[in-house]
Amino acid sequence: MCGKLFVIFVLAATSLLVVLLGLNTVTSRQRQYQWDRIRKDVASLPQLDRERIHQRAERLAKALTIQTISWERDVFETEALLQLHQHLKKSFPLVHSSPSIEVTVINGYSLLYKVRGSNNEDKGDNVLPPYMLAAHLDVVPVANGTWKIAQPFEGRIIDDVIYGRGALDDKSSVMPLPTDNDSMRALPSKCFRRAFRERHSGEFWKMATGIMEALEFLVENKYSFQRTFYIGFGHDEEVSGFEGAGHIAKHLKSTGVNHLDFVLDEGYFVLEDMVEGVDDLVSVIGVTEKGFATLELNVEMSPGHSSIPPKETAIGVLAKAVSALETNPHPSMFGNGPEMDFFSYISTSANIGHSVIFSNLWLLSPLLSQILARNPVTDAIQRTTTAVTIIQGGYKHNVIPGSASATVNHRIHPADSLDQVIEYNNQVINDPRVHIKVVDYYPPTPISPYGPDVSPFNLIASSVKQIYPTSVIAPACSPANTDLRRYVELSDHLYRITPTVLTPVTRGGIHGDDEQITVEHYHNFIRFYVALMLNADQPVGGHSASLHKREL
């Protein structure tokens, strides 16, 4: 009798759970997020023409020929940066001659544009706060392979496809990408670095040209901006952003700008066929980025001769420590950052099987976490990652060295901290002979508020939807680092998106060979910034800028 009751209870509980999962899935798929920060008078506003689509593409192609490489901190191609300044002036004459636009050279090589709107401080409480669009002018050398269709800095257009390093500018994409800066530092001279450049090119500044094309278009059409905004182009993003974005932030503060409504920088893409279980485009907006920590592991032991080796050597102890770190990844932080909301947002467009999981993360998040852990790319979303990048030890074949060291690079999840990372490493290594030293550290950026009721996020999402109406909006954490962190004291709303379509085919060109963007996608890229500048002039109305993610 008791056995029958137990079976009945299990069947009833299972049925109830299935019904509950089904109801949640149906409710989730019917959810409609209101991205409504689009100008009501959009039909009467300037719309980017298609007649000059190839002319704009040619300007980008020309930009791709300028080799503004940052080699390391304080070592960059100054002549190329100045050449880039001149190219901007020549390409966008109306912007640089407009009486309502002020251009300031910051710290010699960065650029800050101030576009003065008519809705100024004299309006009192009704003034629209300024915002900033950010990009960078420098590129980073990257190794591996040879280009087959065009050379990295050739800037060619073939069959309506633009080829060149920087055609797809991406540092916070769907996967963390190494920059090989340590290889650059190892090069003995600037002369040798110049020779190295021919095969090892870097990213470029499509973001900058797209923003400038949009601004030039609106100035040409005599659009009267209501809202003051800034455009900041740093010159050393690839090697920290201290001298570029850092000085732009200082300059803004020195001129009385202590608050920006939001700052938008490069980041994730509009993804096509890249999110499993979702057929629609997925427009990913980065709301935070991981921290960065470089640690050095050191082991000091007695040196000796290889003919009489001890039971343990410094190299052996260090090898065990490295193996322990690689076989014991940091714990999953799934649900403590925006990654859970990413899947909740895309559940509305996922196929039924994936939608059941994405809609019921209250129960199935451990399952999804395990699925993510199977692939290093998706696993990086949910935890602090560990990469051993340099090992140093012996110096002669018959001498046992007295010391050995390893460099470990961590990308720190927003819910993690440096102290927690070091504590976990010590627990995993479990050997007091291994000493950990912090070489470099940047904390994760704060998670910016997001959702339909967060005005700046809604504004960006609405502008994306205006260009890609079938796409689904989703917040995420960027695994890579940008110089956007230099503006944390100026705004609580720091966002990242590169508003062009990325496919499995074009993803291969990021930091790789034959980087490309179609002329049509670049056209939509510019259209996004036109839409954003126009939509930003619309009064906020009832939207709150303070509502955070979990209040949706």
Side-chain angles (χ1 to χ4, degrees), residues 13 53 69 107 133 220 231 264 301 479-480 496 513:
I53 184 173
I69 296 173
N107 199 23
L133 305 176
E220 179 184 13
I231 299 172
L264 179 63
M301 298 181 72
R496 306 150 186 85
D513 295 345

Side-chain angles (χ1 to χ4, degrees), residues 271-285:
L271 306 179
E272 180 180 352
D273 297 329
M274 293 187 65
V275 179
E276 184 179 350
V278 180
D279 295 329
D280 293 333
L281 296 174
V282 179
S283 298
V284 187
I285 301 176

Side-chain angles (χ1 to χ4, degrees), residues 323-361:
S323 177
L325 290 179
E326 290 190 333
T327 55
N328 295 277
H330 281 253
S332 169
M333 310 296 287
F334 189 85
N336 295 299
E339 59 274 358
M340 181 176 285
D341 282 330
F342 171 86
F343 290 103
S344 295
Y345 275 55
I346 67 174
S347 65
T348 60
S349 298
N351 61 40
I352 189 63
H354 288 79
S355 187
V356 170
I357 298 176
F358 299 163
S359 304
N360 293 280
L361 294 178

